[in-house]
Amino acid sequence: AEEARLLELIAKTADLEEVLKVEQRLTQVRTELEAAHSQLEMYEKLVDYVAMDIKNTPEKYAKAIGLSKVPDGIFQSIRILMESGINYEFRTTVVKELHSKDDILAIAEYIRGAKQYYLQCFKDSGELIEDGYSAHDESTMKEMLKLVKPYVGVAGLRGMEE
């Protein structure tokens, strides 16, 4: 997508210096794409299954992991994984103070078409970065599950007391 946009900019630009800048960026984008493709091919040979945590929506991700900004590549990794031939699942540990129904729905929309997505009920391990976190009740977790089911192949709950 970025490559097509840059090619369009070249066609519209009359200034030679601007064309050179755009062409340089285009070369960089193509190199990044080739590197990502090579890396993906390597992973497909080495990995049988990937379970990837999605901590929160892009807007709330940094807070959920206790950082000031989201590490590079998190959301790109989601797309790469979904487009790969690797068997995978996504999962979110749902924390009452960090996740609303709207957040869970936004994550499901972001991963629309994913093979599997599991909502995991939060349990305090005693090793948290902050105190004051708790689990949603079973009813709320089941409502969240209903919200995500239309967006993914398989959706389920984990960690609920049976």
Side-chain angles (χ1 to χ4, degrees):
E2 186 173 2
E3 181 179 1
R5 186 178 62 79
L6 291 170
L7 287 170
E8 185 179 320
L9 283 173
I10 288 173
K12 292 180 179 180
T13 305
D15 182 3
L16 180 59
E17 186 175 319
E18 287 298 313
V19 168
L20 291 174
K21 284 181 184 177
V22 172
E23 283 184 344
Q24 183 179 23
R25 179 66 183 134
L26 181 57
T27 299
Q28 183 181 2
V29 167
R30 286 179 175 152
T31 301
E32 289 171 4
L33 287 172
E34 288 173 14
H37 181 72
S38 295
Q39 190 173 26
L40 181 58
E41 285 179 348
M42 180 188 70
Y43 289 150
E44 286 177 345
K45 292 175 186 170
L46 297 175
V47 177
D48 292 342
Y49 191 82
V50 173
M52 182 176 180
D53 290 340
I54 300 177
K55 302 296 187 187
N56 213 323
T57 64
E59 300 78 21
K60 294 184 174 181
Y61 208 92
K63 178 176 175 29
I65 61 173
L67 297 176
S68 60
K69 71 174 210 134
V70 178
D72 293 337
I74 295 287
F75 293 97
Q76 181 183 9
S77 296
I78 292 169
R79 289 286 148 229
I80 289 171
L81 191 55
M82 288 179 68
E83 293 168 5
S84 76
I86 300 170
N87 195 16
Y88 67 90
E89 71 178 54
F90 294 124
R91 58 193 183 195
T92 298
T93 299
V94 183
V95 179
K96 187 175 188 177
E97 292 75 17
L98 298 176
H99 301 99
S100 67
K101 291 177 191 174
D102 287 341
D103 294 329
I104 297 301
L105 181 59
I107 294 168
E109 289 172 346
Y110 189 82
I111 62 168
R112 179 188 305 266
K115 293 177 183 179
Q116 300 178 72
Y117 181 46
Y118 294 95
L119 301 178
Q120 301 178 150
C121 187
F122 169 78
K123 295 211 185 315
D124 187 347
S125 66
E127 298 178 20
L128 302 176
I129 58 174
E130 288 179 30
D131 291 331
Y133 292 122
S134 60
H136 281 286
D137 59 51
E138 185 174 347
S139 173
T140 302
M141 291 293 291
K142 287 180 178 179
E143 288 174 28
M144 290 177 170
L145 178 62
K146 284 181 188 176
L147 291 173
V148 304
K149 280 186 173 185
Y151 294 92
V152 297
V154 174
L157 292 177
R158 290 185 176 151
M160 298 296 304
E161 299 297 329
E162 299 288 333

PDB file of all heavy atoms in Angstrom, residues 100-130:
ATOM      1  N   SER A 100     -12.736  -2.689  28.528  1.00  0.00           N
ATOM      2  CA  SER A 100     -14.193  -2.570  28.478  1.00  0.00           C
ATOM      3  C   SER A 100     -14.702  -3.476  27.355  1.00  0.00           C
ATOM      4  O   SER A 100     -13.917  -4.008  26.560  1.00  0.00           O
ATOM      5  CB  SER A 100     -14.591  -1.121  28.180  1.00  0.00           C
ATOM      6  OG  SER A 100     -14.178  -0.780  26.860  1.00  0.00           O
ATOM      7  N   LYS A 101     -16.009  -3.619  27.262  1.00  0.00           N
ATOM      8  CA  LYS A 101     -16.583  -4.380  26.145  1.00  0.00           C
ATOM      9  C   LYS A 101     -16.196  -3.734  24.817  1.00  0.00           C
ATOM     10  O   LYS A 101     -15.904  -4.434  23.841  1.00  0.00           O
ATOM     11  CB  LYS A 101     -18.105  -4.458  26.281  1.00  0.00           C
ATOM     12  CG  LYS A 101     -18.568  -5.318  27.430  1.00  0.00           C
ATOM     13  CD  LYS A 101     -20.084  -5.278  27.545  1.00  0.00           C
ATOM     14  CE  LYS A 101     -20.536  -5.907  28.840  1.00  0.00           C
ATOM     15  NZ  LYS A 101     -21.980  -5.765  29.041  1.00  0.00           N
ATOM     16  N   ASP A 102     -16.174  -2.408  24.787  1.00  0.00           N
ATOM     17  CA  ASP A 102     -15.790  -1.697  23.559  1.00  0.00           C
ATOM     18  C   ASP A 102     -14.348  -2.000  23.173  1.00  0.00           C
ATOM     19  O   ASP A 102     -14.029  -2.127  21.990  1.00  0.00           O
ATOM     20  CB  ASP A 102     -15.972  -0.190  23.722  1.00  0.00           C
ATOM     21  CG  ASP A 102     -17.431   0.232  23.720  1.00  0.00           C
ATOM     22  OD1 ASP A 102     -18.282  -0.549  23.245  1.00  0.00           O
ATOM     23  OD2 ASP A 102     -17.723   1.355  24.196  1.00  0.00           O
ATOM     24  N   ASP A 103     -13.459  -2.116  24.155  1.00  0.00           N
ATOM     25  CA  ASP A 103     -12.059  -2.450  23.869  1.00  0.00           C
ATOM     26  C   ASP A 103     -11.954  -3.842  23.253  1.00  0.00           C
ATOM     27  O   ASP A 103     -11.250  -4.043  22.263  1.00  0.00           O
ATOM     28  CB  ASP A 103     -11.211  -2.403  25.146  1.00  0.00           C
ATOM     29  CG  ASP A 103     -11.101  -1.010  25.732  1.00  0.00           C
ATOM     30  OD1 ASP A 103     -11.137  -0.026  24.971  1.00  0.00           O
ATOM     31  OD2 ASP A 103     -10.985  -0.913  26.974  1.00  0.00           O
ATOM     32  N   ILE A 104     -12.656  -4.796  23.842  1.00  0.00           N
ATOM     33  CA  ILE A 104     -12.607  -6.173  23.333  1.00  0.00           C
ATOM     34  C   ILE A 104     -13.178  -6.221  21.920  1.00  0.00           C
ATOM     35  O   ILE A 104     -12.627  -6.888  21.038  1.00  0.00           O
ATOM     36  CB  ILE A 104     -13.337  -7.137  24.292  1.00  0.00           C
ATOM     37  CG1 ILE A 104     -12.636  -7.158  25.665  1.00  0.00           C
ATOM     38  CG2 ILE A 104     -13.458  -8.525  23.693  1.00  0.00           C
ATOM     39  CD1 ILE A 104     -11.174  -7.580  25.639  1.00  0.00           C
ATOM     40  N   LEU A 105     -14.252  -5.498  21.687  1.00  0.00           N
ATOM     41  CA  LEU A 105     -14.831  -5.435  20.342  1.00  0.00           C
ATOM     42  C   LEU A 105     -13.850  -4.806  19.355  1.00  0.00           C
ATOM     43  O   LEU A 105     -13.684  -5.294  18.228  1.00  0.00           O
ATOM     44  CB  LEU A 105     -16.149  -4.650  20.362  1.00  0.00           C
ATOM     45  CG  LEU A 105     -16.879  -4.533  19.029  1.00  0.00           C
ATOM     46  CD1 LEU A 105     -17.225  -5.907  18.468  1.00  0.00           C
ATOM     47  CD2 LEU A 105     -18.140  -3.698  19.205  1.00  0.00           C
ATOM     48  N   ALA A 106     -13.160  -3.753  19.758  1.00  0.00           N
ATOM     49  CA  ALA A 106     -12.177  -3.096  18.883  1.00  0.00           C
ATOM     50  C   ALA A 106     -11.028  -4.042  18.539  1.00  0.00           C
ATOM     51  O   ALA A 106     -10.557  -4.068  17.399  1.00  0.00           O
ATOM     52  CB  ALA A 106     -11.641  -1.818  19.545  1.00  0.00           C
ATOM     53  N   ILE A 107     -10.582  -4.837  19.498  1.00  0.00           N
ATOM     54  CA  ILE A 107      -9.527  -5.820  19.227  1.00  0.00           C
ATOM     55  C   ILE A 107     -10.041  -6.847  18.223  1.00  0.00           C
ATOM     56  O   ILE A 107      -9.355  -7.185  17.254  1.00  0.00           O
ATOM     57  CB  ILE A 107      -9.054  -6.514  20.526  1.00  0.00           C
ATOM     58  CG1 ILE A 107      -8.361  -5.510  21.455  1.00  0.00           C
ATOM     59  CG2 ILE A 107      -8.120  -7.682  20.195  1.00  0.00           C
ATOM     60  CD1 ILE A 107      -8.114  -6.037  22.870  1.00  0.00           C
ATOM     61  N   ALA A 108     -11.262  -7.346  18.435  1.00  0.00           N
ATOM     62  CA  ALA A 108     -11.843  -8.335  17.519  1.00  0.00           C
ATOM     63  C   ALA A 108     -11.956  -7.775  16.109  1.00  0.00           C
ATOM     64  O   ALA A 108     -11.672  -8.467  15.125  1.00  0.00           O
ATOM     65  CB  ALA A 108     -13.213  -8.787  18.033  1.00  0.00           C
ATOM     66  N   GLU A 109     -12.358  -6.513  16.006  1.00  0.00           N
ATOM     67  CA  GLU A 109     -12.443  -5.880  14.684  1.00  0.00           C
ATOM     68  C   GLU A 109     -11.065  -5.774  14.050  1.00  0.00           C
ATOM     69  O   GLU A 109     -10.908  -5.980  12.854  1.00  0.00           O
ATOM     70  CB  GLU A 109     -13.093  -4.506  14.791  1.00  0.00           C
ATOM     71  CG  GLU A 109     -14.585  -4.586  15.096  1.00  0.00           C
ATOM     72  CD  GLU A 109     -15.218  -3.237  15.398  1.00  0.00           C
ATOM     73  OE1 GLU A 109     -14.489  -2.246  15.648  1.00  0.00           O
ATOM     74  OE2 GLU A 109     -16.465  -3.178  15.411  1.00  0.00           O
ATOM     75  N   TYR A 110     -10.059  -5.472  14.854  1.00  0.00           N
ATOM     76  CA  TYR A 110      -8.693  -5.338  14.342  1.00  0.00           C
ATOM     77  C   TYR A 110      -8.166  -6.667  13.808  1.00  0.00           C
ATOM     78  O   TYR A 110      -7.456  -6.704  12.808  1.00  0.00           O
ATOM     79  CB  TYR A 110      -7.761  -4.796  15.433  1.00  0.00           C
ATOM     80  CG  TYR A 110      -6.403  -4.432  14.898  1.00  0.00           C
ATOM     81  CD1 TYR A 110      -6.199  -3.211  14.271  1.00  0.00           C
ATOM     82  CD2 TYR A 110      -5.339  -5.319  14.971  1.00  0.00           C
ATOM     83  CE1 TYR A 110      -4.968  -2.878  13.747  1.00  0.00           C
ATOM     84  CE2 TYR A 110      -4.104  -4.997  14.453  1.00  0.00           C
ATOM     85  CZ  TYR A 110      -3.925  -3.779  13.838  1.00  0.00           C
ATOM     86  OH  TYR A 110      -2.698  -3.455  13.299  1.00  0.00           O
ATOM     87  N   ILE A 111      -8.524  -7.768  14.470  1.00  0.00           N
ATOM     88  CA  ILE A 111      -8.038  -9.085  14.044  1.00  0.00           C
ATOM     89  C   ILE A 111      -9.099  -9.845  13.239  1.00  0.00           C
ATOM     90  O   ILE A 111      -9.026 -11.076  13.111  1.00  0.00           O
ATOM     91  CB  ILE A 111      -7.541  -9.925  15.242  1.00  0.00           C
ATOM     92  CG1 ILE A 111      -8.666 -10.198  16.231  1.00  0.00           C
ATOM     93  CG2 ILE A 111      -6.342  -9.254  15.898  1.00  0.00           C
ATOM     94  CD1 ILE A 111      -8.327 -11.257  17.276  1.00  0.00           C
ATOM     95  N   ARG A 112     -10.035  -9.126  12.697  1.00  0.00           N
ATOM     96  CA  ARG A 112     -11.103  -9.747  11.900  1.00  0.00           C
ATOM     97  C   ARG A 112     -10.518 -10.787  10.939  1.00  0.00           C
ATOM     98  O   ARG A 112      -9.553 -10.524  10.236  1.00  0.00           O
ATOM     99  CB  ARG A 112     -11.817  -8.671  11.083  1.00  0.00           C
ATOM    100  CG  ARG A 112     -12.936  -9.200  10.195  1.00  0.00           C
ATOM    101  CD  ARG A 112     -13.468  -8.117   9.266  1.00  0.00           C
ATOM    102  NE  ARG A 112     -13.908  -6.935   9.988  1.00  0.00           N
ATOM    103  CZ  ARG A 112     -15.178  -6.728  10.369  1.00  0.00           C
ATOM    104  NH1 ARG A 112     -16.105  -7.604  10.081  1.00  0.00           N
ATOM    105  NH2 ARG A 112     -15.492  -5.622  11.011  1.00  0.00           N
ATOM    106  N   GLY A 113     -11.117 -11.981  10.946  1.00  0.00           N
ATOM    107  CA  GLY A 113     -10.638 -13.046  10.080  1.00  0.00           C
ATOM    108  C   GLY A 113      -9.574 -13.935  10.707  1.00  0.00           C
ATOM    109  O   GLY A 113      -9.127 -14.895  10.080  1.00  0.00           O
ATOM    110  N   ALA A 114      -9.168 -13.641  11.934  1.00  0.00           N
ATOM    111  CA  ALA A 114      -8.159 -14.472  12.610  1.00  0.00           C
ATOM    112  C   ALA A 114      -8.703 -15.885  12.813  1.00  0.00           C
ATOM    113  O   ALA A 114      -9.907 -16.096  12.927  1.00  0.00           O
ATOM    114  CB  ALA A 114      -7.790 -13.861  13.962  1.00  0.00           C
ATOM    115  N   LYS A 115      -7.777 -16.844  12.873  1.00  0.00           N
ATOM    116  CA  LYS A 115      -8.170 -18.242  13.051  1.00  0.00           C
ATOM    117  C   LYS A 115      -8.797 -18.487  14.424  1.00  0.00           C
ATOM    118  O   LYS A 115      -9.852 -19.108  14.535  1.00  0.00           O
ATOM    119  CB  LYS A 115      -6.962 -19.156  12.881  1.00  0.00           C
ATOM    120  CG  LYS A 115      -6.407 -19.178  11.474  1.00  0.00           C
ATOM    121  CD  LYS A 115      -5.160 -20.051  11.402  1.00  0.00           C
ATOM    122  CE  LYS A 115      -4.563 -20.008  10.013  1.00  0.00           C
ATOM    123  NZ  LYS A 115      -3.332 -20.819   9.931  1.00  0.00           N
ATOM    124  N   GLN A 116      -8.101 -18.017  15.480  1.00  0.00           N
ATOM    125  CA  GLN A 116      -8.560 -18.279  16.845  1.00  0.00           C
ATOM    126  C   GLN A 116      -8.289 -17.056  17.723  1.00  0.00           C
ATOM    127  O   GLN A 116      -7.247 -16.425  17.585  1.00  0.00           O
ATOM    128  CB  GLN A 116      -7.802 -19.460  17.463  1.00  0.00           C
ATOM    129  CG  GLN A 116      -7.955 -20.765  16.708  1.00  0.00           C
ATOM    130  CD  GLN A 116      -7.126 -21.850  17.366  1.00  0.00           C
ATOM    131  OE1 GLN A 116      -7.468 -22.332  18.444  1.00  0.00           O
ATOM    132  NE2 GLN A 116      -6.025 -22.222  16.731  1.00  0.00           N
ATOM    133  N   TYR A 117      -9.228 -16.786  18.638  1.00  0.00           N
ATOM    134  CA  TYR A 117      -9.047 -15.698  19.600  1.00  0.00           C
ATOM    135  C   TYR A 117      -9.667 -16.128  20.920  1.00  0.00           C
ATOM    136  O   TYR A 117     -10.830 -16.528  20.974  1.00  0.00           O
ATOM    137  CB  TYR A 117      -9.702 -14.419  19.089  1.00  0.00           C
ATOM    138  CG  TYR A 117      -9.543 -13.222  19.996  1.00  0.00           C
ATOM    139  CD1 TYR A 117      -8.320 -12.891  20.559  1.00  0.00           C
ATOM    140  CD2 TYR A 117     -10.623 -12.407  20.292  1.00  0.00           C
ATOM    141  CE1 TYR A 117      -8.168 -11.791  21.381  1.00  0.00           C
ATOM    142  CE2 TYR A 117     -10.485 -11.296  21.107  1.00  0.00           C
ATOM    143  CZ  TYR A 117      -9.260 -10.998  21.654  1.00  0.00           C
ATOM    144  OH  TYR A 117      -9.122  -9.896  22.475  1.00  0.00           O
ATOM    145  N   TYR A 118      -8.865 -16.059  21.968  1.00  0.00           N
ATOM    146  CA  TYR A 118      -9.324 -16.475  23.284  1.00  0.00           C
ATOM    147  C   TYR A 118      -9.262 -15.314  24.264  1.00  0.00           C
ATOM    148  O   TYR A 118      -8.285 -14.560  24.296  1.00  0.00           O
ATOM    149  CB  TYR A 118      -8.465 -17.632  23.812  1.00  0.00           C
ATOM    150  CG  TYR A 118      -8.641 -18.874  22.970  1.00  0.00           C
ATOM    151  CD1 TYR A 118      -7.755 -19.160  21.941  1.00  0.00           C
ATOM    152  CD2 TYR A 118      -9.721 -19.722  23.185  1.00  0.00           C
ATOM    153  CE1 TYR A 118      -7.937 -20.282  21.145  1.00  0.00           C
ATOM    154  CE2 TYR A 118      -9.915 -20.845  22.391  1.00  0.00           C
ATOM    155  CZ  TYR A 118      -9.014 -21.118  21.376  1.00  0.00           C
ATOM    156  OH  TYR A 118      -9.203 -22.219  20.584  1.00  0.00           O
ATOM    157  N   LEU A 119     -10.316 -15.188  25.046  1.00  0.00           N
ATOM    158  CA  LEU A 119     -10.355 -14.225  26.137  1.00  0.00           C
ATOM    159  C   LEU A 119     -10.010 -14.991  27.400  1.00  0.00           C
ATOM    160  O   LEU A 119     -10.668 -15.974  27.742  1.00  0.00           O
ATOM    161  CB  LEU A 119     -11.749 -13.600  26.255  1.00  0.00           C
ATOM    162  CG  LEU A 119     -12.253 -12.862  25.023  1.00  0.00           C
ATOM    163  CD1 LEU A 119     -13.674 -12.342  25.255  1.00  0.00           C
ATOM    164  CD2 LEU A 119     -11.319 -11.723  24.642  1.00  0.00           C
ATOM    165  N   GLN A 120      -8.966 -14.549  28.069  1.00  0.00           N
ATOM    166  CA  GLN A 120      -8.499 -15.213  29.286  1.00  0.00           C
ATOM    167  C   GLN A 120      -8.893 -14.376  30.490  1.00  0.00           C
ATOM    168  O   GLN A 120      -8.633 -13.169  30.523  1.00  0.00           O
ATOM    169  CB  GLN A 120      -6.974 -15.389  29.237  1.00  0.00           C
ATOM    170  CG  GLN A 120      -6.528 -16.188  28.047  1.00  0.00           C
ATOM    171  CD  GLN A 120      -5.021 -16.332  27.952  1.00  0.00           C
ATOM    172  OE1 GLN A 120      -4.570 -17.322  27.449  1.00  0.00           O
ATOM    173  NE2 GLN A 120      -4.238 -15.370  28.412  1.00  0.00           N
ATOM    174  N   CYS A 121      -9.504 -15.016  31.456  1.00  0.00           N
ATOM    175  CA  CYS A 121      -9.918 -14.322  32.668  1.00  0.00           C
ATOM    176  C   CYS A 121      -8.682 -13.992  33.508  1.00  0.00           C
ATOM    177  O   CYS A 121      -7.856 -14.856  33.779  1.00  0.00           O
ATOM    178  CB  CYS A 121     -10.880 -15.214  33.448  1.00  0.00           C
ATOM    179  SG  CYS A 121     -11.613 -14.382  34.854  1.00  0.00           S
ATOM    180  N   PHE A 122      -8.561 -12.744  33.888  1.00  0.00           N
ATOM    181  CA  PHE A 122      -7.430 -12.284  34.696  1.00  0.00           C
ATOM    182  C   PHE A 122      -7.389 -13.006  36.031  1.00  0.00           C
ATOM    183  O   PHE A 122      -8.408 -13.216  36.690  1.00  0.00           O
ATOM    184  CB  PHE A 122      -7.551 -10.775  34.928  1.00  0.00           C
ATOM    185  CG  PHE A 122      -6.590 -10.247  35.954  1.00  0.00           C
ATOM    186  CD1 PHE A 122      -5.266 -10.032  35.629  1.00  0.00           C
ATOM    187  CD2 PHE A 122      -7.001  -9.982  37.246  1.00  0.00           C
ATOM    188  CE1 PHE A 122      -4.361  -9.552  36.570  1.00  0.00           C
ATOM    189  CE2 PHE A 122      -6.122  -9.502  38.196  1.00  0.00           C
ATOM    190  CZ  PHE A 122      -4.801  -9.298  37.858  1.00  0.00           C
ATOM    191  N   LYS A 123      -6.182 -13.391  36.448  1.00  0.00           N
ATOM    192  CA  LYS A 123      -5.936 -13.949  37.777  1.00  0.00           C
ATOM    193  C   LYS A 123      -4.691 -13.261  38.327  1.00  0.00           C
ATOM    194  O   LYS A 123      -3.667 -13.200  37.660  1.00  0.00           O
ATOM    195  CB  LYS A 123      -5.704 -15.450  37.699  1.00  0.00           C
ATOM    196  CG  LYS A 123      -6.922 -16.224  37.228  1.00  0.00           C
ATOM    197  CD  LYS A 123      -6.959 -17.598  37.839  1.00  0.00           C
ATOM    198  CE  LYS A 123      -8.079 -18.475  37.343  1.00  0.00           C
ATOM    199  NZ  LYS A 123      -9.360 -17.918  37.231  1.00  0.00           N
ATOM    200  N   ASP A 124      -4.780 -12.739  39.534  1.00  0.00           N
ATOM    201  CA  ASP A 124      -3.649 -12.051  40.159  1.00  0.00           C
ATOM    202  C   ASP A 124      -2.586 -13.069  40.564  1.00  0.00           C
ATOM    203  O   ASP A 124      -2.800 -13.891  41.446  1.00  0.00           O
ATOM    204  CB  ASP A 124      -4.123 -11.261  41.371  1.00  0.00           C
ATOM    205  CG  ASP A 124      -3.031 -10.392  41.969  1.00  0.00           C
ATOM    206  OD1 ASP A 124      -1.847 -10.563  41.616  1.00  0.00           O
ATOM    207  OD2 ASP A 124      -3.362  -9.525  42.792  1.00  0.00           O
ATOM    208  N   SER A 125      -1.437 -12.990  39.915  1.00  0.00           N
ATOM    209  CA  SER A 125      -0.330 -13.912  40.188  1.00  0.00           C
ATOM    210  C   SER A 125       0.521 -13.447  41.364  1.00  0.00           C
ATOM    211  O   SER A 125       1.396 -14.169  41.827  1.00  0.00           O
ATOM    212  CB  SER A 125       0.563 -14.011  38.954  1.00  0.00           C
ATOM    213  OG  SER A 125       1.184 -12.755  38.714  1.00  0.00           O
ATOM    214  N   GLY A 126       0.297 -12.217  41.799  1.00  0.00           N
ATOM    215  CA  GLY A 126       1.120 -11.646  42.848  1.00  0.00           C
ATOM    216  C   GLY A 126       2.379 -10.978  42.308  1.00  0.00           C
ATOM    217  O   GLY A 126       3.170 -10.437  43.063  1.00  0.00           O
ATOM    218  N   GLU A 127       2.567 -11.024  40.990  1.00  0.00           N
ATOM    219  CA  GLU A 127       3.758 -10.439  40.359  1.00  0.00           C
ATOM    220  C   GLU A 127       3.379  -9.384  39.326  1.00  0.00           C
ATOM    221  O   GLU A 127       3.915  -9.354  38.224  1.00  0.00           O
ATOM    222  CB  GLU A 127       4.581 -11.549  39.694  1.00  0.00           C
ATOM    223  CG  GLU A 127       5.086 -12.580  40.678  1.00  0.00           C
ATOM    224  CD  GLU A 127       5.860 -13.703  40.003  1.00  0.00           C
ATOM    225  OE1 GLU A 127       6.330 -13.521  38.870  1.00  0.00           O
ATOM    226  OE2 GLU A 127       5.994 -14.753  40.633  1.00  0.00           O
ATOM    227  N   LEU A 128       2.466  -8.505  39.676  1.00  0.00           N
ATOM    228  CA  LEU A 128       1.975  -7.487  38.748  1.00  0.00           C
ATOM    229  C   LEU A 128       2.840  -6.241  38.785  1.00  0.00           C
ATOM    230  O   LEU A 128       3.500  -5.962  39.787  1.00  0.00           O
ATOM    231  CB  LEU A 128       0.529  -7.116  39.095  1.00  0.00           C
ATOM    232  CG  LEU A 128      -0.477  -8.261  39.094  1.00  0.00           C
ATOM    233  CD1 LEU A 128      -1.833  -7.765  39.549  1.00  0.00           C
ATOM    234  CD2 LEU A 128      -0.567  -8.886  37.717  1.00  0.00           C
ATOM    235  N   ILE A 129       2.805  -5.478  37.682  1.00  0.00           N
ATOM    236  CA  ILE A 129       3.558  -4.229  37.647  1.00  0.00           C
ATOM    237  C   ILE A 129       2.911  -3.156  38.513  1.00  0.00           C
ATOM    238  O   ILE A 129       3.567  -2.208  38.916  1.00  0.00           O
ATOM    239  CB  ILE A 129       3.749  -3.721  36.193  1.00  0.00           C
ATOM    240  CG1 ILE A 129       2.399  -3.519  35.489  1.00  0.00           C
ATOM    241  CG2 ILE A 129       4.643  -4.637  35.412  1.00  0.00           C
ATOM    242  CD1 ILE A 129       2.490  -2.878  34.111  1.00  0.00           C
ATOM    243  N   GLU A 130       1.608  -3.314  38.800  1.00  0.00           N
ATOM    244  CA  GLU A 130       0.861  -2.395  39.665  1.00  0.00           C
ATOM    245  C   GLU A 130      -0.196  -3.187  40.423  1.00  0.00           C
ATOM    246  O   GLU A 130      -0.664  -4.215  39.940  1.00  0.00           O
ATOM    247  CB  GLU A 130       0.103  -1.345  38.838  1.00  0.00           C
ATOM    248  CG  GLU A 130       0.917  -0.280  38.188  1.00  0.00           C
ATOM    249  CD  GLU A 130       0.035   0.684  37.389  1.00  0.00           C
ATOM    250  OE1 GLU A 130      -1.128   0.903  37.751  1.00  0.00           O
ATOM    251  OE2 GLU A 130       0.537   1.214  36.404  1.00  0.00           O
TER     252      GLU A 130
END
